[in-house]
Amino acid sequence: VLRGFDLAYEDRQNWVSAWDDCYKLALPGRIGFYSTQQGTSHTDEIFDSTAVIATAEFASRMQAGMTPAFAMWFNFEAGSEVPEAQRQRMSEELEKIGVYVWETLNQSNLNQELHENYIDLAIGTAVLAVEEGDAVQPVRFTAIPQQQVVLSNGPFGTPDTVYRFRELTLEEIQIIWEKADIPEKMKLETKNEERKKYPIIECVQRNWQNKKTEHYEFTVAIKDPAHKLFQGDFIGEGSNPMIAYRWSKASGETYGRGPLFNSMPDVRT
């Protein structure tokens, strides 16, 4: 997993400079790829606010047109493989399930995170994490910032491997993954420095041993010391918890090119 991450990260470096330009000229309030300080605004190179306003407008229009917050934007119906005599009854039952799913999504933070996702999509690539929630919020969504995402294409040109890297304290690791295997070195270090943060790499990788069944291997690892904290599996259609999607992808490339990315010459002018 660590070796695969290093190779994919190296490939991603070819994109970082162009992405950072997008952040500097259209998303000045966000942390860029060469800045780590939250709450700062990088507006020194912005002399016209057109791109800043247009990017926010793009995200709002995408959400209003694709996944509006106050309207049920999907429905379940019996497909053509269901015998015609059973379709109406099955569609009625599926409609009840759809309403339940819609109510569950409305109780979650999906709408808030989708807006952030669509802003990333303006650059070209967005990743939405779907995780188990709690009693109040059964499902939790996270728009993973582009700075934390590394993708690797599979044999059919789809992002079959998604890496997420971030820094977490030992306490946060144990809350997120209750069964994490914590090395003794980390436990000793935490006694001396309670808020010490460790670079964590999460990997969701497609297992192609059985092409007819979706199977994703999930691994959480740290680099120093090289150690596997947690491992699990997601099996079944649609079980991948990392939804990665691109606006427009050139053949052979891993990351997408969005409307903001493509209009950068005009933005600079």
Side-chain angles (χ1 to χ4, degrees):
V1 168
L2 296 178
R3 185 165 59 249
F5 170 79
D6 287 340
L7 291 171
Y9 185 85
E10 188 177 335
D11 291 339
R12 193 191 78 147
Q13 291 304 100
N14 298 325
W15 295 81
V16 168
S17 178
W19 288 342
D20 197 63
D21 281 349
C22 293
Y23 275 76
K24 283 192 298 186
L25 299 178
L27 301 165
R30 285 191 169 201
I31 298 176
F33 286 84
Y34 302 118
S35 171
T36 57
Q37 191 170 0
Q38 296 185 19
T40 56
S41 183
H42 310 282
T43 56
D44 293 346
E45 296 182 35
I46 297 177
F47 302 99
D48 181 278
S49 63
T50 303
V52 180
I53 295 170
T55 304
E57 178 114 352
F58 167 82
S60 296
R61 289 195 176 195
M62 282 293 295
Q63 187 160 18
M66 298 277 292
T67 54
F70 302 108
M72 188 168 168
W73 41 268
F74 63 88
N75 66 296
F76 300 153
E77 291 183 355
S80 58
E81 292 185 8
V82 178
E84 192 170 349
Q86 299 176 17
R87 284 181 197 171
Q88 184 176 352
R89 183 175 60 82
M90 187 174 284
S91 292
E92 290 172 358
E93 293 300 317
L94 287 171
E95 186 178 355
K96 297 175 185 176
I97 295 171
V99 171
Y100 174 75
V101 171
W102 169 245
E103 290 173 350
T104 303
L105 293 179
N106 257 352
Q107 292 173 18
S108 72
N109 62 335
L110 177 63
N111 293 320
Q112 174 187 338
E113 296 301 306
L114 272 179
H115 184 80
E116 294 298 308
N117 235 200
Y118 289 138
I119 288 178
D120 287 332
L121 191 63
I123 299 175
T125 305
V127 178
L128 184 70
V130 188
E131 300 166 301
E132 186 177 354
D134 49 36
V136 178
Q137 195 177 84
V139 186
R140 182 181 296 110
F141 297 88
T142 305
I144 303 179
Q146 205 161 356
Q147 298 89 335
Q148 297 181 5
V149 172
V150 175
L151 302 180
S152 179
N153 274 347
F156 302 107
T158 55
D160 287 346
T161 305
V162 179
Y163 299 96
R164 179 188 186 184
F165 59 98
R166 52 178 169 162
E167 293 188 341
L168 298 171
T169 64
L170 178 58
E171 182 184 8
E172 289 169 335
I173 292 169
Q174 291 174 318
I175 291 173
I176 297 172
W177 303 287
E178 295 179 6
K179 297 181 180 180
D181 178 23
I182 309 296
E184 290 299 321
K185 182 182 177 181
M186 285 178 65
K187 294 177 182 178
L188 291 172
E189 288 175 344
T190 305
K191 285 182 180 178
N192 300 325
E193 192 179 346
E194 190 176 333
R195 300 307 298 171
K196 179 179 174 64
K197 292 197 170 186
Y198 296 91
I200 303 296
I201 295 173
E202 300 167 56
C203 172
V204 178
Q205 186 172 19
R206 177 76 185 264
N207 184 326
W208 284 102
Q209 287 184 349
N210 185 351
K211 291 184 179 180
K212 293 183 179 180
T213 301
E214 283 192 39
H215 179 189
Y216 299 91
E217 296 173 351
F218 176 59
T219 308
V220 183
I222 55 173
K223 275 195 163 188
D224 185 25
H227 183 78
K228 182 169 62 180
L229 295 172
F230 182 82
Q231 188 165 24
D233 294 276
F234 298 100
I235 300 173
E237 188 175 353
S239 60
N240 187 352
M242 298 284 193
I243 303 172
Y245 54 107
R246 286 80 60 94
W247 176 263
S248 176
K249 184 186 77 70
S251 179
E253 291 186 342
T254 304
Y255 300 92
R257 298 169 182 262
L260 172 59
F261 187 97
N262 291 331
S263 63
M264 284 307 293
D266 294 321
V267 175
R268 289 192 188 96
T269 302

